[in-house]
Amino acid sequence: MKKNRTLEDAIAAIPSGATVMVGGFGNPGTPFSLINELVRQGQTQLTLIKNDANEPHHGISRLIENGQVDRLVTTHIGLNKTVIELMNQGKIDVQFHPQGMLAEKIRTAGSGSYGFLTDIGLESEITQQKDVLEWQGQTYKVEMALTADYALIHAAQADWLGNLLYQGSAINFSPLMAMAADHVIVETIDLKQPGHFKPEHIHTPGAFVDSVVELKALTDDYGILDHHVRR
Amino acid sequence: MKKNRTLEDAIAAIPSGATVMVGGFGNPGTPFSLINELVRQGQTQLTLIKNDANEPHHGISRLIENGQVDRLVTTHIGLNKTVIELMNQGKIDVQFHPQGMLAEKIRTAGSGSYGFLTDIGLESEITQQKDVLEWQGQTYKVEMALTADYALIHAAQADWLGNLLYQGSAINFSPLMAMAADHVIVETIDLKQPGHFKPEHIHTPGAFVDSVVELKALTDDYGILDHHVRR
Amino acid sequence: MSVVERILTRAVLEITQGSIVNLGIGLPTQVLHYLPDDFDAQIHSENGILGAWKQSAPENMDPFLIDSAGAYVSLREGASLFDSAVSFAIIRRARLDLTMIGAFEVDAQGNLANWKIPGKFSPGIGGAMELAQKTKRLVVLTTHTDKQGRPKILEHCRLPLTAKACTDRIISDLAVIDVTPEGLMVREKLVDISNDELQDKTEAKLMFTAEE
Amino acid sequence: MSVVERILTRAVLEITQGSIVNLGIGLPTQVLHYLPDDFDAQIHSENGILGAWKQSAPENMDPFLIDSAGAYVSLREGASLFDSAVSFAIIRRARLDLTMIGAFEVDAQGNLANWKIPGKFSPGIGGAMELAQKTKRLVVLTTHTDKQGRPKILEHCRLPLTAKACTDRIISDLAVIDVTPEGLMVREKLVDISNDELQDKTEAKLMFTAEE
């Protein structure tokens, strides 16, 4: 079944109030074109789940600055002073998780489970007593699975069955989010016919993907950020 | 660091009494050469963890028939009448798990967690009351992580940093076991220099692998089983 | 047409274009060979394949590519291969449109027993429990009665259950029967048989559509 | 040599041949540039890289390949790329030989605080908690005192902890100090400083090896 959609149609499916996972760690893997269309369409009261908040005026920071986001679930927003300021002003609710815990909460949802037992942060202030479980003689923190209505994913390559391949450090959260969200929307600049890829090279099987948007070009968003180039 | 080992040395590291995960679903992915060396060396009182018991006189069935295995943790041994018979005679202790639960228990260990919450089998006879958890208003079965001292893995290709690539349906449990076991021993017929593989194509990063054994040939064990050819 | 052929010939009609389908061990795996060669469906095999297809000729057979029953398979264009955790993630996340599965017993509530006959047969659970519990649509393929002629479609399963209330439809060699909130509803007959005769071979109470 | 250069020059000696090493955000990421080009170590970056290496020239820079601090990196031969769950599996399974990490405070018990200054700085935890809690060997890189000249090596951390008793060694611009069961043991001095002067800049009680 062909999963190709136009950019406009794919994003129009997302209602205000939705919970949306967004792939990417910094720039690599951030689906800028899907995000920019969501800015254009203007859905509001969104909950976003992303490793970081991108950098000011860039990626999901545009959605946050535009007032479309009520809540951000993330690990580290140190590269985005604008969002830190909005958080400090109480204009957005930000929930932090250790990075590997966020990844694993998403993967746990993606594997159809409901939570997992860990010792990460068990003795730190991030653990509340209500999340501590005594179980068969040991003490654990229970981390619950994190689901979402939608996931927005950037793939380096895809076919119209929804098989996805990522590149470089742009893999990061994307395969996990593709498993965890109820509706998975993918952008790619390189859409191929099924059969083009070696079956062993596919990172995300098409079963997890609902819509594939073929991009005509990668905008400047995807380029090199000068301030991350070493002098 | 070069991880190349001889077949003999790699297997000699395994003591009697060890818990050993063995990759493979049926023939594909079964590390026959590592297993046959373990038969030759004769370590005993082993606990094996494998999806199935292979077929009579083949793969881990040889270890079991040889009296080297006290306990088998598995999902389905329907293709091995010999092992079913040994189980019924009480000569080997067999513990069954639903296939995806076995996979996820291994992956949970492999991700450094201790257990996960599921609803699979919750209302069936496989669930004992001691494993049922009431948590924040819901009822779950707790499945604990499954670790092992050693994992025996067949990779289609590898490099001497321990980067692994699998092929066909021979992937199955191998990447999960490579993450979960304390010592990971790999056999491959195709050992390359680091840099030969595209970094995005590597299924198991070398960080998880301790020893790589280069095979000179794939024995008949790895070939087509005539009774699985459709007439 | 043999009993098996009758079941398989009807079963293949359950697969819709573009769907993702798991074919359980036993009768269901054979459904693959009844699909037209150009049919647009993706066959999932729980040992890590999406896009499994009919067995190649012996000279092209890949010893590293089997289905969950151990039979050699080929791959379609667009197939993907993955580990067992991802494979069962597809199942538990309900990304399968349809699973066809065998049965020892199935009952009027849609309960299914297909993995264990205590004291007689217990080779393990395999993937059945997760497939039965989590697939969007579960179709049971079974002979209407066992080798001794005893009904396999029961009022209540007596064997240990694979999953509760999981079955949507039963395809036997005699009829196509849906599990509905009101009970078992006969949708089609696959042989020339009266309602009474069919009921005689079935322990559970059957309902018949008005027009019959 | 600047304070930073002094720390980095010493820090690079901690990396042994063939080891797997994570370099945390801040001072540690810069250690990479002090490694000889042919040095046999695999740099892990928690955003999904094993085998990260020094930044390429601008014309070869890959916009889809950064380290966890956002800086563009290259890959060594034998590098692998993977998702964030696998990346943290490597960390939590203790497959890292060494992590170097920054600190706001570190104390005599090896407790580390490096993620939050309540009311002042709370950009999130990132990967620090898992790196600190699970790496086989944790080396803290820090200036010996803060910008106001106050000690950062304390008797007991006052800020929220990243992890308890996780630090093996502290490398400051003044000294190399090991966390031992008996307390902090000065192993090397990196500048010409007396024991008393070093103790004055340190809140925690220091021990000095006999020969000094």
Side-chain angles (χ1 to χ4, degrees):
Chain A
M1 199 160 48
K2 289 209 185 193
K3 295 178 174 173
N4 310 33
R5 301 286 181 280
T6 66
L7 180 57
E8 189 170 354
D9 285 355
I11 296 299
I14 304 175
S16 288
T19 296
V20 184
M21 289 176 172
V22 183
F25 186 118
N27 258 16
T30 301
F32 290 107
S33 301
L34 298 178
I35 294 165
N36 290 344
E37 177 65 14
L38 192 53
V39 170
R40 196 189 67 79
Q41 293 190 14
Q43 287 89 326
T44 57
Q45 296 174 282
L46 300 171
T47 292
L48 296 188
I49 301 171
K50 186 183 187 290
N51 175 68
D52 53 80
N54 289 114
E55 301 193 26
H57 326 312
H58 215 64
I60 66 163
S61 195
R62 294 192 60 204
L63 286 164
I64 296 167
E65 294 167 32
N66 206 27
Q68 294 174 256
V69 182
D70 284 357
R71 192 149 169 271
L72 174 65
V73 180
T74 188
T75 75
H76 198 278
I77 59 172
L79 293 178
N80 195 324
K81 286 183 183 170
T82 306
V83 172
I84 290 177
E85 183 61 24
L86 290 169
M87 170 179 76
N88 290 341
Q89 292 169 4
K91 290 190 175 149
I92 179 171
D93 174 27
V94 181
Q95 188 184 98
F96 293 109
H97 295 282
Q99 197 172 111
M101 292 291 101
L102 183 65
E104 203 62 23
K105 286 165 87 76
I106 295 168
R107 197 203 163 279
T108 297
S111 67
S113 299
Y114 301 94
F116 64 98
L117 310 185
T118 186
D119 60 355
I120 297 298
L122 183 61
E123 297 189 318
S124 81
E125 70 158 43
I126 68 163
T127 299
Q128 297 179 275
Q129 195 51 43
K130 72 171 180 58
D131 298 323
V132 174
L133 173 67
E134 300 286 336
W135 188 251
Q136 298 174 354
Q138 297 287 326
T139 305
Y140 303 103
K141 180 176 187 193
V142 182
E143 288 278 2
M144 296 307 286
L146 200 54
T147 58
D149 303 312
Y150 289 84
L152 306 183
I153 302 293
H154 175 87
Q157 300 187 290
D159 65 27
W160 47 253
L161 287 170
N163 291 310
L164 308 183
L165 287 82
Y166 312 99
Q167 74 176 96
S169 71
I171 308 175
N172 58 71
F173 286 75
S174 297
L176 316 173
M177 291 175 169
M179 291 165 72
D182 289 341
H183 303 90
V184 175
I185 304 171
V186 175
E187 57 162 59
T188 186
I189 187 72
D190 191 5
L191 185 67
K192 294 284 201 271
Q193 294 292 318
H196 182 85
F197 307 115
K198 200 160 179 260
E200 287 89 348
H201 292 170
I202 291 168
H203 292 118
T204 294
F208 290 117
V209 173
D210 299 284
S211 306
V212 179
V213 175
E214 185 177 10
L215 303 177
K216 287 172 188 65
L218 293 184
T219 57
D220 287 348
D221 293 308
Y222 300 87
I224 297 281
L225 291 170
D226 278 342
H227 55 282
H228 288 305
V229 176
R230 194 177 153 80
R231 304 292 154 204
Chain B
M1 198 159 47
K2 289 211 185 193
K3 296 177 175 174
N4 310 33
R5 301 285 181 281
T6 66
L7 180 57
E8 188 170 354
D9 285 355
I11 295 300
I14 304 174
S16 286
T19 296
V20 184
M21 289 176 172
V22 183
F25 186 118
N27 258 17
T30 301
F32 291 107
S33 303
L34 298 179
I35 294 166
N36 290 345
E37 177 65 14
L38 192 53
V39 170
R40 196 189 69 78
Q41 292 190 12
Q43 287 90 328
T44 57
Q45 297 173 282
L46 301 170
T47 292
L48 296 188
I49 302 171
K50 187 184 187 290
N51 175 69
D52 52 80
N54 288 113
E55 301 192 27
H57 326 312
H58 216 65
I60 66 163
S61 195
R62 293 192 61 203
L63 286 165
I64 296 167
E65 294 166 33
N66 206 26
Q68 295 174 256
V69 182
D70 284 357
R71 191 147 170 271
L72 173 65
V73 180
T74 188
T75 76
H76 197 279
I77 58 172
L79 293 178
N80 195 325
K81 286 181 184 173
T82 306
V83 172
I84 290 178
E85 183 61 25
L86 290 169
M87 170 180 77
N88 290 341
Q89 292 169 2
K91 291 192 176 148
I92 180 172
D93 173 27
V94 181
Q95 187 183 98
F96 292 109
H97 295 282
Q99 197 173 111
M101 292 293 99
L102 183 65
E104 202 62 23
K105 285 165 87 77
I106 295 167
R107 197 203 163 279
T108 296
S111 67
S113 298
Y114 301 95
F116 64 98
L117 310 185
T118 186
D119 59 357
I120 297 298
L122 183 60
E123 297 189 317
S124 81
E125 70 158 44
I126 67 164
T127 298
Q128 297 179 275
Q129 195 51 43
K130 73 171 179 59
D131 296 323
V132 174
L133 173 68
E134 300 285 339
W135 187 251
Q136 298 175 355
Q138 298 286 328
T139 305
Y140 304 102
K141 181 176 187 192
V142 181
E143 289 278 3
M144 297 307 285
L146 200 54
T147 58
D149 303 313
Y150 288 84
L152 307 183
I153 302 293
H154 175 87
Q157 301 187 289
D159 66 26
W160 47 253
L161 287 169
N163 291 309
L164 309 183
L165 287 81
Y166 311 99
Q167 74 177 94
S169 70
I171 308 176
N172 59 72
F173 285 76
S174 298
L176 316 173
M177 291 174 168
M179 292 164 72
D182 289 342
H183 302 91
V184 176
I185 303 171
V186 176
E187 56 162 59
T188 187
I189 186 74
D190 191 5
L191 185 67
K192 295 283 201 270
Q193 294 292 318
H196 182 85
F197 307 115
K198 202 162 178 257
E200 288 88 347
H201 292 171
I202 291 167
H203 292 118
T204 293
F208 290 116
V209 172
D210 300 285
S211 306
V212 179
V213 174
E214 185 176 10
L215 303 177
K216 287 172 187 63
L218 294 184
T219 56
D220 287 348
D221 294 307
Y222 300 87
I224 297 282
L225 291 170
D226 280 341
H227 55 282
H228 288 305
V229 176
R230 195 177 153 80
R231 304 291 156 207
Chain C
M1 213 189 307
S2 74
V3 161
V4 163
E5 281 172 336
R6 209 182 303 138
I7 296 172
L8 296 174
T9 304
R10 178 58 187 81
V12 75
L13 304 178
E14 295 293 310
I15 302 179
T16 56
Q17 292 280 344
S19 59
I20 298 178
V21 181
N22 185 290
L23 301 172
I25 297 180
L27 275 176
T29 44
Q30 300 182 54
V31 173
L32 178 57
H33 305 287
Y34 286 72
L35 275 169
D37 281 338
D38 61 346
F39 196 87
D40 173 22
Q42 294 181 77
I43 307 301
H44 173 266
S45 189
E46 61 266 37
N47 55 327
I49 309 175
L50 185 63
W53 203 240
K54 303 177 188 183
Q55 196 171 87
S56 306
E59 61 274 20
N60 296 322
M61 219 170 273
D62 179 352
F64 290 95
L65 195 65
I66 64 171
D67 67 16
S68 58
Y72 297 100
V73 294
S74 66
L75 297 179
R76 296 201 91 167
E77 297 208 326
S80 52
L81 298 162
F82 33 79
D83 68 48
S84 298
V86 170
S87 193
F88 278 86
I90 291 174
I91 295 170
R92 290 193 301 266
R93 285 287 295 151
R95 286 289 192 170
L96 299 184
D97 298 304
L98 171 67
T99 288
M100 301 221 226
I101 203 163
F104 298 150
E105 298 175 348
V106 56
D107 73 20
Q109 294 76 47
N111 298 322
L112 171 69
N114 80 347
W115 73 280
K116 187 178 185 182
I117 304 174
K120 232 174 120 182
F121 180 82
S122 56
I125 309 161
M129 203 168 267
E130 288 151 296
L131 286 165
Q133 204 173 323
K134 294 294 182 180
T135 305
K136 283 179 201 145
R137 180 170 169 79
L138 192 77
V139 174
V140 165
L141 306 188
T142 179
T143 54
H144 208 89
T145 53
D146 69 12
K147 282 172 187 160
Q148 285 74 41
R150 290 173 301 208
K152 295 180 71 173
I153 303 172
L154 308 179
E155 202 56 55
H156 296 286
C157 286
R158 290 181 276 269
L159 294 171
L161 293 187
T162 307
K164 284 189 183 172
C166 56
T167 308
D168 293 287
R169 170 167 283 191
I170 303 160
I171 299 178
S172 79
D173 49 312
L174 302 181
V176 177
I177 301 169
D178 278 349
V179 180
T180 77
E182 292 75 36
L184 299 182
M185 170 70 79
V186 177
R187 296 292 185 196
E188 300 168 29
K189 292 176 188 167
L190 301 180
V191 292
D192 184 18
I193 190 171
S194 71
N195 289 358
D196 285 351
E197 282 176 294
L198 189 60
Q199 182 64 72
D200 273 355
K201 292 175 181 292
T202 313
E203 183 189 286
K205 177 87 185 79
L206 297 176
M207 297 182 290
F208 295 87
T209 48
E211 51 271 63
E212 293 198 69
Chain D
M1 215 189 310
S2 75
V3 161
V4 163
E5 282 172 337
R6 209 182 303 138
I7 296 171
L8 297 174
T9 303
R10 178 58 187 82
V12 75
L13 304 178
E14 294 293 310
I15 302 179
T16 56
Q17 293 280 345
S19 60
I20 298 179
V21 181
N22 185 290
L23 301 172
I25 297 182
L27 275 176
T29 44
Q30 299 182 55
V31 173
L32 177 56
H33 305 286
Y34 286 72
L35 275 169
D37 282 337
D38 60 348
F39 196 87
D40 173 22
Q42 294 181 76
I43 307 300
H44 173 267
S45 188
E46 60 265 39
N47 55 327
I49 310 175
L50 184 63
W53 203 240
K54 303 176 188 184
Q55 197 172 87
S56 305
E59 61 274 19
N60 296 323
M61 219 171 272
D62 180 351
F64 290 94
L65 195 65
I66 64 172
D67 66 18
S68 59
Y72 298 100
V73 294
S74 67
L75 297 180
R76 298 201 90 166
E77 296 208 328
S80 53
L81 297 162
F82 34 78
D83 68 47
S84 298
V86 170
S87 193
F88 277 86
I90 292 174
I91 296 170
R92 290 194 301 266
R93 285 287 294 152
R95 287 288 191 170
L96 299 183
D97 298 304
L98 171 67
T99 288
M100 301 221 225
I101 202 163
F104 299 149
E105 298 175 349
V106 56
D107 73 20
Q109 294 75 46
N111 298 322
L112 171 69
N114 78 347
W115 73 280
K116 187 178 185 181
I117 304 174
K120 232 173 122 180
F121 180 83
S122 55
I125 309 161
M129 203 167 267
E130 287 151 296
L131 285 165
Q133 205 173 323
K134 294 294 182 180
T135 306
K136 282 179 203 148
R137 179 171 170 78
L138 192 78
V139 173
V140 166
L141 306 188
T142 180
T143 54
H144 208 89
T145 54
D146 70 12
K147 282 171 188 160
Q148 284 75 40
R150 290 173 300 208
K152 295 181 71 175
I153 304 172
L154 308 180
E155 202 56 55
H156 295 286
C157 286
R158 291 181 275 268
L159 293 171
L161 293 187
T162 306
K164 284 189 184 172
C166 56
T167 308
D168 293 287
R169 171 167 282 192
I170 303 160
I171 299 178
S172 79
D173 49 311
L174 303 182
V176 176
I177 301 169
D178 279 349
V179 180
T180 78
E182 292 75 37
L184 299 182
M185 171 71 80
V186 177
R187 298 291 184 196
E188 302 168 28
K189 292 176 188 168
L190 301 180
V191 290
D192 185 17
I193 190 172
S194 72
N195 291 359
D196 285 350
E197 281 174 297
L198 189 59
Q199 182 65 73
D200 273 353
K201 292 174 182 293
T202 312
E203 184 189 287
K205 177 88 185 76
L206 297 176
M207 298 182 291
F208 296 86
T209 48
E211 49 272 63
E212 292 197 68

